[in-house]
Amino acid sequence: METLIALAIGTLTGCGVYLVLRAHTFPVVLGLTLLSYAVNLFLFSTGRLAIGQPPVISAGASYTDPLPQALVLTAIVIGFAMTAFVIMLALRARAELGNDHVDGRGDAL
Amino acid sequence: MNLLLAVLVPFIGAAWVAWASRRGRAAAAWNAGGVALLALLLLWPALTAGFAGQTTIERLAWIPAAGLDLAFRLDGLGLLFAAMILGIGGLVILYAYYYLSHQDSLGRLYAYLLLFMGAMLGVVLSENLIQLLVFWELTSLSSFLLIAYWRKREAARRGAKLALTITGAGGLALLAGFLLIGEIVGSYELSVVLASGDAIRADPLYLPALVLVLLGAFTKSAQFPFHFWLPHAMAAPTPVSAYLHSATMVKAGVFLLARLFPALSGTPEWNWLVGGTGLATLLLGAVVALFKHDLKGLLAYSTISHLGLVTALFGIGTPLAAVAGVFHIINHATFKAGLFMAAGIIDHECGTRDMRRINGLWKYMPHTAVLAMVAAAAMAGVPLFNGFLSKEMFFAEAVDAAGQLRFGIWLPAAVTFAGVFAVAYSLRFIHDVFFNGEPIDLPRTPHEPPRWMKVPVEILVAICLLVGILPALTVEPLLAVAAGAVLQGPLPEHDLALWHGLSPALWMSVIALVGGVLLYLGRKPLFRLHDRIEGRLDAREIYEHLLEGTLAFAHRATAAFDTGSLQRQATLIVVSALVLAGTGLLGAAAPLTGPRPLLPVDGVSLIAGLALVTATLAATFLHRRRFVALTLVGAVGLLVALVFIKFSAPDLALTQLSVEVVTVVLLLLALYFLPAETPAESRPSREEGAGGGRAANSRHWRDGILAIVAGAGAALLAWAVLTRPADTIAGWFLANSVSGGGGTNVVNVILVDFRGFDTFGEITVLAIAALGIFALLENLHLPAPRHDAHGRAWDADIHPLIMATFARLLLPLALLVSVFIFLRGHNLPGGGFIAGLITAIALIMQYLANGVTWTHARLPAHTHPWIATGLFIALATGLASWLFGRPFLTSAFGHPILPWLGELPLASAMAFDLGVYLVVVGATLLILINLGMAHQASHHDPTPKSLLRSDLPSRGEETLGAALRVSREDPH
């Protein structure tokens, strides 16, 4: 199971990095989204993997680490805010500059 | 609490006065004076105690874990400075009322002045060194505002910037010095630091600490070679100069010398550094002052000189010299404030400050002339005026210190030389301005100023005289407590009297007086000489060269890295991350795989995992077909949510699921305005020319390799973490969740209780992001495509009846679910974040299904108030715990049993969670609705509206839904 998660994190990171390095805004935003999945999964996995042990107190149960979960929960929401901000920036740049190149130059659309 | 309040009152008062000034100038002045008086009243008990020799210390826990307390201290030295700050501050407030013209905003000046007053009080009343530094920097900032008060004037802005740069840089050095002292002593408390002088002096870090602290003090007190900011600060209105450059701002540096005297003095390093700098400044200031034609320029250099005198006294380092230093601080504050005010009156009445034009004012304003002459005589050190007493003590100390030095005779000689110049420039101030013929070409005809404008000067001049004639009766008690606090020990024998017999100091005074008069009489050739060499060596030019050099270097360095290309920047970041992480990982000797037993893989997980990997790869390879890529990314997000479910994180799964929905909707809406396909990067663009294709191709390869390395690195890192046993602090949270936070859902309890402060920060970020997006979208006009990428028109059936109906039916249910999720959040998976997202989705559904117009009629257009309310509730919940004497955001809880509902787990944290909920709903809706509005605004309607209004929805309305239905027609 650990292999699978490590593989998933690796793929998400690699693909995220590749997309972030693209020259047009929309793929970059998608890349950032993938990267934030990767980071969230990685942070989450620092609490190690546990099946069927949610950190909700009940009699006699064992629990997984709640702290990374709390961190990731807010990270997901902030990640959304960041994605939203970047995509709006991209729209604004498109409106002001007439293209969707990340540096605002290149072929007019 | 009184000390804390007294320091806070001017800060609050600043805002209050700025507001009150709308009721007129008089209201502003009365209120500002009232604020100063209130601060004085609050300090009164501590002041009287300080006068009796007691030290008042107040302490409030601030960051106890870091050893930081909000601690205030009032002893003799604090008493003296607080009295000067508030006393002269009060006089300046009265004076400024008459000085400032009716076009200038008096309220703004008072607000800045009070800010400065509070900062200065904070400096002199701080018990904690770090806290002292915070106030120290506040004085730099508020003095910047004051100096730049006439912000339309170039000179004012430059002077303010210069002062801020120099004193700000000194503040940084001071911080480093304080940190070193804290390291040596193990505490930032002044009481401890002052008692550990021997330990500090014996420490190897003593010299660096001393130099850094002195840099702070010297920059603030305009000591050579940092003196040049002060003359340029004369661009400030004169009341500001009278306040900042007599009693307060520049005195902060010598205050620090006095404050840390027991801790740092008593070594040769101290004597030479402090004494040498003081002496150099004394001489330089005295000589330059004589040649300044600007009235305030003369006073500025004289201030520099007198500050050098005080510094030199502390540098001599004997207890008696320290007493003299404190005495001169008092005397200089009184006569220099008076002189600045007099200069302001002259400027005010003549319209110029040029002493070559201002002559013979005696005839026009004899009253002011008398006042100015008394103050100038005190500045010169004429007997019967207060300046004489401390100056004679200084001479005596110089003679004493010379006895300790080989060839020490130069010291009294240099000091007397400075004294000669002091007499000469004081004489010039009197003779040039009030006598010396007739005024030349003045813009206005001078006459006496308003009666009350002279009152502050009269008070100060009276003090000069009283202290000068009857020192033992007037100033001695204050001097005794202040000097006692400086020395932190017994006071040396000293005798404040006019006549000490025919001592060497007396002869030096006589030489200074006679020499000064002679020098002034023979000034003409000196002035010619000065005119010839003036401007050859200007410290400010050196400073500006340095500044320009630094800026040019920064520009070049930035330009070398930042070519304006995001791709290049991102590549640099990725490469450097890889290099750094790679060296770290390769250098580590530990094995890659840890000993933790692995979990077995089951079939479903395997399929889901492979699906995640496949979808990610597919999204990347198909990224040029944007709609497909977005759909795939959405699928990846859902699969990530599945991962969270599988591995015991129900809260995360719920959050991820709802965020995913919102993100995809948002990106779809945005995609409507962007090209549906990414153009191939390999196509040569205009700049790149024919070689562009190959360059772009190699870029694909390079990025691909970077991506693979990064992915492999992340996978290995994750593997290394996952296979190692966890060493976690989770036990504490699990054990205290129910007893401390009153909830069984530990994740939620951490969010709203244990780490509530973090969450508060996070929702603030969310709110800021939403507002930023709102600003970005304002007046956004994007060309809305009328067709999709294949040239087909949008679907005409924009709001299918079935979808619209069901969305409306679902709304109450969805809201009910979100309330349920919210309420149970403290004990079971759920909470404010998730409930907020669900509510937002439910409302956005209405926009999608029913269109903007329909929904707008039923929902508020702006959700800013929701965000504000949410933040306010969260903050208020946190602050409420202060009311019960508990730290910020301590929660209380109970389990009331309500009729019908049964037991309700109610924690104060729930109110906090409500704040979170409102912020999340408000921010999410703000973002999405405004993008939806951009659709409406951008859409150019080709058909006359009147034809459409009645039966068909307008074109703008359809776009939201239409954007989402691109898929139906998209063949991909």
Side-chain angles (χ1 to χ4, degrees):
Chain A
M1 212 61 115
E2 276 80 0
T3 329
L4 213 52
I5 293 298
L7 185 67
I9 292 175
T11 316
L12 285 169
T13 313
C15 292
V17 166
Y18 183 79
L19 288 181
V20 164
L21 295 175
R22 293 306 89 215
H24 293 272
T25 48
F26 197 75
V28 172
V29 176
L30 290 186
L32 283 174
T33 314
L34 289 182
L35 265 183
S36 55
Y37 293 152
V39 171
N40 288 344
L41 270 184
F42 181 78
L43 275 183
F44 169 67
S45 67
T46 56
R48 310 302 187 276
L49 304 183
I51 298 173
Q53 302 169 18
V56 176
I57 307 290
S58 53
S62 65
Y63 313 105
T64 182
D65 193 339
L67 196 56
Q69 296 197 12
L71 291 176
V72 172
L73 199 151
T74 48
I76 294 174
V77 180
I78 300 264
F80 161 68
M82 185 197 68
T83 310
F85 193 85
V86 175
I87 191 73
M88 299 303 173
L89 204 59
L91 287 187
R92 187 87 217 188
R94 167 114 164 79
E96 305 277 328
L97 305 166
N99 63 64
D100 72 337
H101 192 279
V102 284
D103 301 331
R105 55 185 161 82
D107 344 311
L109 289 161
Chain B
M1 284 303 277
N2 271 10
L3 295 186
L4 169 70
L5 283 178
V7 172
L8 284 183
V9 156
F11 286 106
I12 302 164
W16 164 256
V17 169
W19 180 80
S21 71
R22 289 190 306 184
R23 306 181 69 98
R25 288 167 52 86
W30 280 111
N31 277 297
V35 170
L37 191 65
L38 180 61
L40 186 68
L41 287 179
L42 282 166
L43 278 183
W44 196 256
L47 285 176
T48 44
F51 215 72
Q54 288 162 2
T55 302
T56 314
I57 293 186
E58 283 175 6
R59 214 172 248 114
L60 270 164
W62 177 24
I63 312 174
L68 291 181
D69 283 341
L70 213 54
F72 292 92
R73 163 200 189 92
L74 194 145
D75 58 6
L77 186 64
L79 159 84
L80 168 65
F81 271 90
M84 288 201 305
I85 292 163
L86 291 171
I88 299 190
L91 297 181
V92 165
I93 288 171
L94 171 61
Y95 177 79
Y97 176 73
Y98 295 98
Y99 178 83
L100 224 55
S101 78
H102 286 259
Q103 286 91 39
D104 294 320
S105 160
L106 198 61
R108 189 156 64 85
L109 183 80
Y110 283 147
Y112 293 165
L113 264 179
L114 290 174
L115 278 183
F116 179 80
M117 183 185 278
M120 221 31 231
L121 277 178
V123 168
V124 301
L125 297 181
S126 279
E127 158 76 357
N128 186 298
L129 284 180
I130 301 294
Q131 178 197 333
L132 188 153
L133 186 97
V134 172
F135 284 112
W136 180 279
E137 296 289 27
L138 279 176
T139 62
S140 293
L141 289 176
S142 46
S143 68
F144 172 82
L145 293 173
L146 281 169
I147 297 171
Y149 173 78
W150 281 316
R151 47 197 171 190
K152 293 215 177 81
R153 297 187 188 173
E154 158 106 38
R157 294 197 305 269
R158 283 169 71 117
K161 215 164 79 180
L162 190 67
L164 183 67
T165 317
I166 303 285
T167 55
L172 288 181
L174 186 62
L175 171 63
F178 281 169
L179 291 178
L180 283 183
I181 291 180
E183 277 302 299
I184 297 170
V185 180
S187 165
Y188 293 113
E189 300 290 302
L190 261 178
S191 328
V192 185
V193 170
L194 295 185
S196 348
D198 291 330
I200 297 176
R201 283 185 286 268
D203 200 276
L205 286 176
Y206 167 70
L207 189 61
L210 175 69
V211 170
L212 289 167
V213 169
L214 290 183
L215 275 176
F218 289 169
T219 47
K220 201 76 157 183
S221 277
Q223 296 296 296
F224 177 80
F226 310 111
H227 60 280
F228 54 94
W229 68 263
L230 204 153
H232 293 286
M234 290 300 135
T238 303
V240 173
S241 307
Y243 195 36
L244 263 58
H245 306 128
S246 68
T248 53
M249 164 93 165
V250 293
K251 286 284 164 63
V254 287
F255 165 80
L256 197 69
L257 293 180
R259 184 82 282 180
L260 295 176
F261 189 75
L264 295 176
S265 76
T267 60
E269 291 94 333
W270 167 279
N271 291 346
W272 284 107
L273 281 174
V274 180
T277 310
L279 202 61
T281 314
L282 165 71
L283 288 168
L284 177 105
V287 173
V288 176
L290 177 61
F291 299 104
K292 288 290 155 193
H293 299 304
D294 176 11
L295 207 54
K296 276 176 82 179
L298 185 150
L299 292 180
Y301 275 97
S302 132
T303 300
I304 292 174
S305 171
H306 282 273
L307 289 166
L309 193 159
V310 175
T311 307
L313 273 169
F314 283 112
I316 290 171
T318 59
L320 204 54
V323 174
V326 176
F327 191 23
H328 200 67
I329 289 177
I330 304 174
N331 293 338
H332 178 249
T334 46
F335 68 67
K336 193 51 69 67
L339 278 171
F340 268 119
M341 289 181 185
I345 292 176
I346 294 163
D347 178 15
H348 195 248
E349 295 303 322
C350 299
T352 175
R353 303 196 308 240
D354 191 337
M355 278 187 282
R356 285 166 296 191
R357 290 159 69 192
I358 307 173
N359 303 105
L361 290 192
W362 174 258
K363 276 183 290 193
Y364 301 94
M365 39 169 78
H367 189 154
T368 310
V370 170
L371 295 175
M373 283 195 277
V374 173
M379 173 163 79
V382 176
L384 291 184
F385 304 101
N386 59 356
F388 169 73
L389 297 170
S390 46
K391 199 166 255 186
E392 207 189 32
M393 283 171 87
F394 174 55
F395 287 157
E397 284 307 308
V399 171
D400 266 6
Q404 325 268 320
L405 297 166
R406 212 187 299 178
F407 312 120
I409 186 65
W410 58 268
L411 182 57
V415 164
T416 316
F417 182 73
V420 169
F421 271 87
V423 173
Y425 68 65
S426 305
L427 197 56
R428 177 165 185 223
F429 185 92
I430 296 173
H431 180 253
D432 236 3
V433 171
F434 296 108
F435 306 99
N436 201 19
E438 280 296 308
I440 304 164
D441 190 22
L442 289 184
R444 287 173 220 158
T445 310
H447 53 77
E448 287 284 355
R451 179 70 200 87
W452 281 91
M453 193 172 180
K454 282 178 293 191
V455 168
V457 195
E458 284 164 353
I459 293 174
L460 290 165
V461 163
I463 295 174
C464 288
L465 272 172
L466 280 174
V467 171
I469 298 170
L470 301 166
L473 289 180
T474 49
V475 79
E476 171 61 26
L478 179 64
L479 179 62
V481 288
V486 170
L487 296 171
Q488 294 283 307
L491 217 54
E493 276 291 311
H494 63 278
D495 177 22
L496 294 187
L498 276 171
W499 181 250
H500 288 112
L502 288 174
S503 61
L506 183 68
W507 288 117
M508 286 158 77
S509 287
V510 172
I511 295 173
L513 282 172
V514 176
V517 174
L518 291 176
L519 179 67
Y520 182 69
L521 292 176
R523 68 191 183 277
K524 294 255 158 62
L526 285 174
F527 269 80
R528 275 198 296 276
L529 181 69
H530 176 261
D531 285 345
R532 219 176 307 149
I533 57 168
E534 190 177 23
R536 291 271 173 84
L537 193 69
D538 187 356
R540 184 175 135 173
E541 270 179 28
I542 302 172
Y543 160 84
E544 289 200 333
H545 275 300
L546 273 175
L547 196 67
E548 275 168 26
T550 317
L551 287 179
F553 172 75
H555 277 304
R556 272 200 302 278
T558 314
F561 284 104
D562 180 8
T563 52
S565 158
L566 182 72
Q567 276 181 293
R568 198 179 120 88
Q569 290 304 102
T571 313
L572 272 178
I573 291 172
V574 172
V575 168
S576 32
L578 286 179
V579 169
L580 290 174
T583 36
L585 279 179
L586 293 179
L592 181 64
T593 308
R596 195 173 192 267
L598 300 185
L599 290 172
V601 182
D602 58 284
V604 178
S605 304
L606 184 66
I607 294 173
L610 291 181
L612 199 160
V613 171
T614 318
T616 312
L617 288 172
T620 310
F621 283 110
L622 297 175
H623 78 264
R624 299 213 345 251
R625 289 156 71 181
R626 293 178 170 180
F627 182 75
V628 181
L630 177 56
T631 317
L632 285 166
V633 167
V636 173
L638 297 183
L639 286 162
V640 170
L642 287 184
V643 174
F644 289 140
I645 293 182
K646 176 74 182 172
F647 298 109
S648 324
D651 280 287
L652 291 191
L654 282 172
T655 316
Q656 175 72 38
L657 203 63
S658 32
V659 163
E660 202 49 47
V661 173
V662 186
T663 309
V664 169
V665 170
L666 176 78
L667 290 182
L668 276 175
L669 287 176
L671 192 51
Y672 179 68
F673 291 117
L674 292 169
E677 301 216 345
T678 308
E681 273 175 58
S682 53
R683 201 173 64 204
S685 72
R686 243 167 290 135
E687 302 118 88
E688 285 168 335
R694 236 173 303 132
N697 209 19
S698 72
R699 174 180 288 161
H700 275 293
W701 280 107
R702 189 194 64 194
D703 291 351
I705 291 167
L706 279 180
I708 290 170
V709 178
L716 288 177
L717 196 61
W719 171 257
V721 170
L722 283 168
T723 53
R724 281 171 165 70
D727 181 19
T728 168
I729 54 170
W732 189 87
F733 292 113
L734 291 166
N736 287 286
S737 176
V738 176
S739 57
T744 54
N745 181 5
V746 187
V747 174
N748 184 270
V749 173
I750 291 177
L751 282 177
V752 298
D753 190 335
F754 295 138
R755 308 295 306 166
F757 205 53
D758 297 359
T759 311
F760 184 64
E762 276 144 2
I763 55 175
T764 314
V765 172
L766 190 65
I768 293 170
L771 292 179
I773 288 168
F774 181 73
L776 275 177
L777 287 177
E778 201 166 30
N779 298 323
L780 179 75
H781 291 293
L782 278 164
R786 221 159 288 152
H787 309 282
D788 73 354
H790 298 273
R792 289 164 301 185
W794 300 113
D795 193 350
D797 182 15
I798 39 167
H799 301 301
L801 190 61
I802 293 177
M803 183 174 168
T805 314
F806 272 100
R808 289 177 209 180
L809 278 178
L810 273 175
L811 179 65
L813 274 177
L815 290 180
L816 193 64
V817 169
S818 78
V819 171
F820 172 66
I821 291 272
F822 174 78
L823 285 177
R824 73 177 212 155
H826 215 45
N827 285 327
L828 290 165
F833 276 109
I834 301 165
L837 286 163
I838 294 177
T839 308
I841 293 171
L843 294 176
I844 290 164
M845 272 292 288
Q846 305 309 310
Y847 280 92
L848 294 178
N850 298 306
V852 174
T853 318
W854 185 89
T855 322
H856 251 340
R858 290 157 181 83
L859 272 178
H862 293 296
T863 52
H864 303 67
W866 303 12
I867 301 179
T869 314
L871 278 179
F872 177 76
I873 291 178
L875 181 66
T877 317
L879 291 178
S881 41
W882 271 0
L883 291 182
F884 299 99
R886 309 280 297 277
F888 186 71
L889 270 176
T890 313
S891 72
F893 52 87
H895 294 259
I897 295 176
L898 298 181
W900 298 323
L901 288 174
E903 187 190 347
L904 193 66
L906 207 61
S908 71
M910 194 166 268
F912 184 77
D913 220 9
L914 180 67
V916 173
Y917 170 85
L918 283 174
V919 173
V920 171
V921 176
T924 315
L925 282 181
L926 188 66
I927 294 168
L928 279 151
I929 294 175
N930 277 291
L931 186 55
M933 309 270 279
H935 278 245
Q936 204 170 24
S938 297
H939 213 95
H940 174 69
D941 194 347
T943 346
K945 278 210 171 99
S946 54
L947 285 178
L948 287 169
R949 200 37 63 82
S950 53
D951 44 356
L952 283 170
S954 80
R955 288 282 298 170
E957 196 183 334
E958 76 191 59
T959 53
L960 257 167
L964 288 173
R965 278 192 310 284
V966 136
S967 61
R968 255 191 253 158
E969 305 156 310
D970 201 330
H972 300 305

